[in-house]
Amino acid sequence: MNARWIELGDGVFTRRYEELDLSTGLVLGEQRCLVVDTRGDAEQGAELAAAVRGITPLPWTVVLTHDHFDHAYGVPAFLPCDVWAHPACWAELVRADRAARAGLPVTDRVELDLGGRPVVLAHPGVAHSPGDVVVHVPDADVLFAGDLLEHVPGGTYSAESFGSDTALDAWPAALERLAAFGATTVVPGHGEPAGPDLVESCREGLLALRGLRRKVRAGELTEEQAVAHSPLPADVTLAALTKPPA
Ligand SMILES: [Zn+2]
Protein backbone atom coordinates (compact mmCIF):
# COMPACT_ATOMS: atom_id res chain seq x y z
CA MET A 1 0.00 0.00 0.00
CA ASN A 2 1.50 3.27 -1.13
CA ALA A 3 -0.21 6.48 0.01
CA ARG A 4 0.59 10.11 0.71
CA TRP A 5 -1.12 13.25 1.96
CA ILE A 6 -1.12 16.43 -0.10
CA GLU A 7 -2.11 19.70 1.63
CA LEU A 8 -4.25 21.69 -0.82
CA GLY A 9 -4.94 24.65 1.46
CA ASP A 10 -4.98 25.50 5.16
CA GLY A 11 -6.34 22.33 6.79
CA VAL A 12 -7.56 20.83 3.51
CA PHE A 13 -5.91 17.61 2.38
CA THR A 14 -6.22 14.84 -0.14
CA ARG A 15 -4.83 11.37 0.58
CA ARG A 16 -3.65 9.79 -2.63
CA TYR A 17 -3.35 6.04 -3.14
CA GLU A 18 -1.31 4.21 -5.74
CA GLU A 19 -4.02 1.50 -5.76
CA LEU A 20 -6.72 2.61 -8.25
CA ASP A 21 -5.06 6.06 -8.24
CA LEU A 22 -7.73 6.90 -5.63
CA SER A 23 -8.08 10.34 -4.00
CA THR A 24 -9.83 10.76 -0.64
CA GLY A 25 -10.23 14.05 1.25
CA LEU A 26 -9.90 15.57 4.71
CA VAL A 27 -11.13 19.03 5.81
CA LEU A 28 -10.32 20.37 9.28
CA GLY A 29 -12.53 22.77 11.22
CA GLU A 30 -12.08 24.00 14.79
CA GLN A 31 -14.50 21.44 16.24
CA ARG A 32 -14.81 18.66 13.69
CA CYS A 33 -13.18 17.24 10.61
CA LEU A 34 -14.84 15.99 7.46
CA VAL A 35 -13.60 12.82 5.74
CA VAL A 36 -14.46 12.63 2.03
CA ASP A 37 -14.80 8.95 1.00
CA THR A 38 -13.56 5.91 2.90
CA ARG A 39 -11.71 3.52 0.52
CA GLY A 40 -12.85 0.06 -0.52
CA ASP A 41 -13.37 -2.21 2.48
CA ALA A 42 -13.26 -2.25 6.29
CA GLU A 43 -9.51 -2.86 6.36
CA GLN A 44 -8.78 -0.03 3.92
CA GLY A 45 -11.16 2.22 5.85
CA ALA A 46 -9.23 1.44 9.05
CA GLU A 47 -5.99 2.43 7.33
CA LEU A 48 -7.51 5.75 6.27
CA ALA A 49 -9.02 6.34 9.72
CA ALA A 50 -5.59 5.78 11.33
CA ALA A 51 -3.99 8.12 8.79
CA VAL A 52 -6.59 10.81 9.64
CA ARG A 53 -5.72 10.32 13.31
CA GLY A 54 -2.11 11.02 12.38
CA ILE A 55 -3.24 14.50 11.31
CA THR A 56 -6.00 15.41 13.78
CA PRO A 57 -7.68 14.18 16.99
CA LEU A 58 -10.95 15.98 16.05
CA PRO A 59 -14.19 13.96 15.86
CA TRP A 60 -15.07 13.16 12.28
CA THR A 61 -18.05 13.39 10.00
CA VAL A 62 -18.00 11.34 6.77
CA VAL A 63 -19.40 12.20 3.33
CA LEU A 64 -19.57 9.65 0.51
CA THR A 65 -19.25 11.01 -3.04
CA HIS A 66 -21.12 7.94 -4.39
CA ASP A 67 -21.84 4.27 -3.71
CA HIS A 68 -19.01 2.59 -5.67
CA PHE A 69 -17.03 0.21 -3.48
CA ASP A 70 -13.68 1.96 -3.78
CA HIS A 71 -15.17 5.14 -2.25
CA ALA A 72 -17.85 3.88 0.11
CA TYR A 73 -17.21 0.39 1.46
CA GLY A 74 -14.63 1.48 4.07
CA VAL A 75 -17.26 3.39 6.05
CA PRO A 76 -17.63 0.81 8.90
CA ALA A 77 -14.16 1.79 10.14
CA PHE A 78 -15.45 5.30 10.92
CA LEU A 79 -18.67 4.39 12.72
CA PRO A 80 -20.33 5.54 14.87
CA CYS A 81 -20.42 9.00 13.29
CA ASP A 82 -22.57 11.17 11.06
CA VAL A 83 -22.40 9.92 7.44
CA TRP A 84 -23.80 12.02 4.58
CA ALA A 85 -24.64 10.74 1.10
CA HIS A 86 -27.25 11.14 -1.62
CA PRO A 87 -30.46 9.09 -1.12
CA ALA A 88 -29.69 7.08 -4.30
CA CYS A 89 -26.27 6.26 -2.85
CA TRP A 90 -27.90 5.13 0.41
CA ALA A 91 -30.42 2.99 -1.48
CA GLU A 92 -27.62 1.22 -3.32
CA LEU A 93 -25.53 0.71 -0.15
CA VAL A 94 -28.55 -0.81 1.63
CA ARG A 95 -29.31 -3.00 -1.40
CA ALA A 96 -25.67 -4.19 -1.47
CA ASP A 97 -25.84 -4.91 2.27
CA ARG A 98 -23.18 -2.26 2.98
CA ALA A 99 -25.42 -0.14 5.21
CA ALA A 100 -28.19 -1.27 7.56
CA ARG A 101 -30.27 1.80 6.71
CA ALA A 102 -29.95 5.17 5.03
CA GLY A 103 -27.96 7.81 6.90
CA LEU A 104 -28.03 11.58 6.51
CA PRO A 105 -29.29 12.69 3.07
CA VAL A 106 -27.77 15.20 0.65
CA THR A 107 -30.74 15.64 -1.66
CA ASP A 108 -29.69 18.93 -3.17
CA ARG A 109 -27.40 21.06 -1.00
CA VAL A 110 -26.34 20.90 2.64
CA GLU A 111 -24.08 23.36 4.45
CA LEU A 112 -22.06 21.98 7.36
CA ASP A 113 -20.14 24.04 9.89
CA LEU A 114 -16.99 22.23 11.03
CA GLY A 115 -16.29 25.05 13.52
CA GLY A 116 -15.22 28.31 11.89
CA ARG A 117 -15.28 26.54 8.54
CA PRO A 118 -18.35 26.09 6.35
CA VAL A 119 -18.39 23.32 3.77
CA VAL A 120 -21.04 22.69 1.14
CA LEU A 121 -22.21 19.18 0.16
CA ALA A 122 -24.08 19.27 -3.15
CA HIS A 123 -25.71 16.89 -5.61
CA PRO A 124 -25.01 18.32 -9.09
CA GLY A 125 -27.49 16.01 -10.83
CA VAL A 126 -27.19 12.45 -12.09
CA ALA A 127 -23.85 11.92 -13.81
CA HIS A 128 -21.22 9.27 -13.05
CA SER A 129 -23.78 7.58 -10.77
CA PRO A 130 -27.39 8.30 -9.71
CA GLY A 131 -26.22 9.70 -6.36
CA ASP A 132 -23.08 11.77 -6.84
CA VAL A 133 -22.18 14.34 -4.17
CA VAL A 134 -19.41 16.94 -4.40
CA VAL A 135 -17.79 18.83 -1.51
CA HIS A 136 -16.89 22.51 -1.74
CA VAL A 137 -14.63 24.23 0.80
CA PRO A 138 -15.24 27.91 -0.04
CA ASP A 139 -12.55 29.49 2.17
CA ALA A 140 -9.87 27.27 0.61
CA ASP A 141 -11.27 27.32 -2.94
CA VAL A 142 -11.15 23.51 -3.10
CA LEU A 143 -13.74 21.20 -4.63
CA PHE A 144 -13.78 17.43 -4.08
CA ALA A 145 -15.58 16.11 -7.16
CA GLY A 146 -15.66 12.34 -6.62
CA ASP A 147 -15.76 10.43 -9.90
CA LEU A 148 -17.51 13.24 -11.77
CA LEU A 149 -13.93 14.12 -12.63
CA GLU A 150 -11.10 11.77 -13.32
CA HIS A 151 -7.53 12.65 -14.15
CA VAL A 152 -5.53 9.81 -15.65
CA PRO A 153 -1.92 10.58 -16.61
CA GLY A 154 -2.08 12.64 -19.79
CA GLY A 155 -5.87 12.64 -19.98
CA THR A 156 -9.24 12.60 -18.31
CA TYR A 157 -11.48 9.55 -17.99
CA SER A 158 -10.83 5.80 -17.93
CA ALA A 159 -13.04 2.92 -19.03
CA GLU A 160 -14.07 2.50 -15.37
CA SER A 161 -15.62 5.99 -15.40
CA PHE A 162 -18.62 4.63 -17.34
CA GLY A 163 -20.89 1.97 -15.87
CA SER A 164 -24.42 0.65 -16.17
CA ASP A 165 -25.46 3.24 -13.54
CA THR A 166 -23.92 6.19 -15.42
CA ALA A 167 -26.04 8.93 -17.04
CA LEU A 168 -23.85 10.11 -19.91
CA ASP A 169 -26.51 12.41 -21.37
CA ALA A 170 -26.84 14.39 -18.14
CA TRP A 171 -23.21 14.34 -17.04
CA PRO A 172 -21.94 17.43 -18.95
CA ALA A 173 -24.62 19.64 -17.31
CA ALA A 174 -23.50 18.40 -13.89
CA LEU A 175 -19.98 19.56 -14.73
CA GLU A 176 -21.34 23.03 -15.54
CA ARG A 177 -22.72 23.10 -11.99
CA LEU A 178 -19.28 22.07 -10.74
CA ALA A 179 -17.62 24.87 -12.69
CA ALA A 180 -20.06 27.36 -11.11
CA PHE A 181 -18.41 26.75 -7.71
CA GLY A 182 -15.40 28.56 -9.17
CA ALA A 183 -12.89 26.48 -7.18
CA THR A 184 -9.23 26.98 -8.06
CA THR A 185 -8.32 23.43 -6.99
CA VAL A 186 -10.40 20.42 -7.99
CA VAL A 187 -9.81 16.92 -6.64
CA PRO A 188 -10.94 14.07 -8.92
CA GLY A 189 -12.00 10.72 -7.50
CA HIS A 190 -9.04 9.15 -9.27
CA GLY A 191 -5.87 11.02 -10.19
CA GLU A 192 -3.93 14.10 -9.13
CA PRO A 193 -5.58 17.35 -8.01
CA ALA A 194 -5.76 19.95 -10.76
CA GLY A 195 -6.93 23.44 -11.63
CA PRO A 196 -10.33 24.39 -13.04
CA ASP A 197 -9.13 23.48 -16.55
CA LEU A 198 -9.72 19.83 -15.64
CA VAL A 199 -13.47 20.49 -15.34
CA GLU A 200 -13.54 21.95 -18.84
CA SER A 201 -11.43 19.21 -20.41
CA CYS A 202 -13.59 16.55 -18.76
CA ARG A 203 -16.74 18.31 -20.01
CA GLU A 204 -15.37 18.53 -23.56
CA GLY A 205 -14.51 14.84 -23.50
CA LEU A 206 -17.99 13.90 -22.29
CA LEU A 207 -19.66 16.08 -24.92
CA ALA A 208 -17.59 14.38 -27.61
CA LEU A 209 -18.49 10.92 -26.30
CA ARG A 210 -22.17 11.84 -26.01
CA GLY A 211 -22.20 13.15 -29.57
CA LEU A 212 -20.52 10.02 -30.91
CA ARG A 213 -22.95 7.80 -29.04
CA ARG A 214 -25.91 9.67 -30.51
CA LYS A 215 -24.52 9.10 -34.00
CA VAL A 216 -23.95 5.40 -33.33
CA ARG A 217 -27.47 5.02 -31.96
CA ALA A 218 -28.87 6.86 -34.98
CA GLY A 219 -26.99 4.51 -37.29
CA GLU A 220 -24.83 7.33 -38.68
CA LEU A 221 -21.58 5.81 -37.37
CA THR A 222 -20.43 2.31 -36.52
CA GLU A 223 -18.78 1.77 -33.15
CA GLU A 224 -15.47 1.37 -34.96
CA GLN A 225 -15.90 4.72 -36.72
CA ALA A 226 -16.87 6.39 -33.43
CA VAL A 227 -13.72 5.02 -31.80
CA ALA A 228 -11.65 6.35 -34.71
CA HIS A 229 -13.24 9.82 -34.37
CA SER A 230 -13.03 9.97 -30.57
CA PRO A 231 -10.58 12.28 -28.75
CA LEU A 232 -10.45 9.68 -25.96
CA PRO A 233 -8.69 6.28 -26.01
CA ALA A 234 -10.49 3.34 -27.63
CA ASP A 235 -11.29 1.46 -24.41
CA VAL A 236 -12.71 4.61 -22.79
CA THR A 237 -14.79 5.42 -25.87
CA LEU A 238 -16.17 1.88 -26.12
CA ALA A 239 -17.11 1.91 -22.43
CA ALA A 240 -18.96 5.23 -22.88
CA LEU A 241 -20.72 3.98 -26.01
CA THR A 242 -21.87 0.68 -24.57
CA LYS A 243 -22.25 0.77 -20.77
CA PRO A 244 -24.44 3.76 -19.77
CA PRO A 245 -28.11 3.18 -20.67
CA ALA A 246 -28.90 6.91 -20.87
ZN1 LIG B 1 -17.15 5.56 -9.25
Side-chain angles (χ1 to χ4, degrees), residues 66-71 128-129 132 146-147 160-161 165 190:
H66 62 301
D67 70 275
H68 293 164
F69 81 97
D70 45 336
H71 302 264
H128 169 71
S129 83
D132 296 302
D147 285 1
E160 285 71 37
S161 303
D165 58 345
H190 302 267

